[in-house]
Amino acid sequence: MHPFSKNLQDRIDSLKKKMNPVKLGRVEFDSPLILAPLASITSIPFRLLMQDLGAGGCVSELVSCHGINYQNEKTLKMLEIDPRERHTGLQIFGECKKEIASASEIAQGYGPAFIDINVGCPVKKVVTKGAGARLLLDIKKLTPIIRETKKRITVPLTLKIRTGWCANDIVAEDIVKMAQNEGIEFVAIHGRTRAQKYNGLANWPLINDIAGKYEIPIIGNGDLHSSVFVKKELKKTNCKALMLGRGPLRFPFIFLESMTEEPVDFFPSDHMEIIKRLHGYMCDYFDHPKFIEIQLKKHILWMSAGYPGAKAFRRLLFELRGHEQVVNYACKYLDEIGDIQKNINLQEPFLSGGEG
């Protein structure tokens, strides 16, 4: 693990002292700000980095119940949880109650804080098989899945859902009511329908209305792309916690920045340090150099957004070969631009996909 400089570590530690633990049913988190599941992103290296930077807990990328049950080596690796992680849940998707229950029992053996069933992924290849957001269309099918899974596991069971299939079929409240009756620990609601995918705005009035009506804890999710939005929602929400998905990719310090009303400055030199740490985590966890290179390029691309000359930097970044060269080039760029704040239009859409 690449050590942070004393200056950066002191700022991180100071802000972490402002974290207030929360308990949602039987699940504990170090703060009410949790890293959402993101396909091909929230594997161990990124989860470790985000917990270093103040995430109160994390959820894995969505994992196929069929891959788990077939003992697929690549799928089982996605279930691994590093001993340094705290409050990490494993998210599973599927369409068959017996398959999901069996996979959840296997996943439980990897030591998650909770098992989460995905009822929100809008991706076509998931939906056409009857999984993810497709379950929004049939609560009568979802209920037996929950019951069968609860029989097979002892760790807490949770749900992540969307508001509904489309604007004319909003079912979030019906699912929350059912989840409360079935003993689900909490429900995370992404405030968009399946039809919206990642377009338009999240329906926060609906999320907060539901959160204010039921005893089951609700986690709100959607459009929390910067600490400005997170702090604004924290002040008024009925939710017990918030789940951040795409925001941390551009603003990796978002969890820390959201913990205080005081101005907090993080600069390119700070991003340089976390890129080095992320690189170290990837080298520890991933076996293939080419995969490390590809993953690093994605994260550096997102982190560099809003800095001067970022477009030209990214163009050259993708021409490089070798993860060591990628890190060196990124650090050189960040070092040369000096101490400057990002300039990003927060109203523009960002990364239209990936969240589970």
Side-chain angles (χ1 to χ4, degrees), residues 68-248:
I68 295 171
N69 291 327
Y70 294 152
Q71 298 287 293
N72 178 276
E73 184 178 348
K74 183 178 178 181
T75 304
L76 293 179
K77 189 172 180 62
M78 295 168 69
L79 297 176
E80 293 179 4
I81 296 175
D82 189 278
R84 292 166 289 184
E85 293 187 68
R86 291 169 55 82
H87 318 303
T88 293
L90 294 173
Q91 188 185 74
I92 293 173
F93 75 94
E95 71 286 349
C96 171
K97 68 177 183 180
K98 290 185 178 180
E99 292 280 350
I100 292 175
S102 175
S104 297
E105 186 174 23
I106 294 170
Q108 177 178 251
Y110 287 78
F114 56 96
I115 299 289
D116 187 73
I117 297 177
N118 181 295
V119 192
C121 181
V123 176
K124 186 176 180 180
K125 67 179 181 180
V126 172
V127 171
T128 53
K129 292 180 181 178
R134 181 63 178 77
L135 292 172
L136 295 167
L137 291 174
D138 194 352
I139 298 178
K140 290 182 179 179
K141 183 177 181 180
L142 180 58
T143 304
I145 288 174
I146 290 170
R147 290 175 180 172
E148 187 72 20
T149 303
K150 282 181 66 66
K151 289 178 186 176
R152 301 283 289 273
I153 65 174
T154 56
V155 297
L157 184 64
T158 67
L159 298 180
K160 188 166 190 290
I161 70 172
R162 283 180 172 246
T163 57
W165 183 258
C166 62
N168 295 324
D169 193 4
I170 301 298
V171 296
E173 185 169 354
D174 294 331
I175 293 177
V176 166
K177 189 185 303 182
M178 178 272 292
Q180 180 170 288
N181 292 337
E182 296 297 329
I184 291 293
E185 302 297 329
F186 65 75
V187 178
I189 304 176
H190 182 140
R192 289 180 174 84
T193 64
R194 189 270 169 174
Q196 281 182 274
K197 295 187 178 177
Y198 301 93
N199 302 313
L201 297 175
N203 190 343
W204 277 96
L206 175 63
I207 295 173
N208 281 313
D209 178 62
I210 294 172
K213 286 183 179 179
Y214 297 91
E215 292 183 7
I216 184 172
I218 300 298
I219 301 178
N221 174 223
D223 296 340
L224 301 173
H225 298 327
S226 78
S227 60
V228 174
F229 298 151
V230 176
K231 286 189 275 192
K232 182 179 178 181
E233 195 58 48
L234 279 173
K235 289 179 181 178
K236 63 180 182 179
T237 190
N238 291 323
C239 297
K240 299 299 183 183
L242 302 179
M243 194 167 272
L244 283 57
R246 291 171 285 172

Side-chain angles (χ1 to χ4, degrees), residues 58-74:
C58 299
V59 187
S60 74
E61 56 185 313
L62 65 170
V63 187
S64 166
C65 71
H66 301 298
I68 295 171
N69 291 327
Y70 294 152
Q71 298 287 293
N72 178 276
E73 184 178 348
K74 183 178 178 181

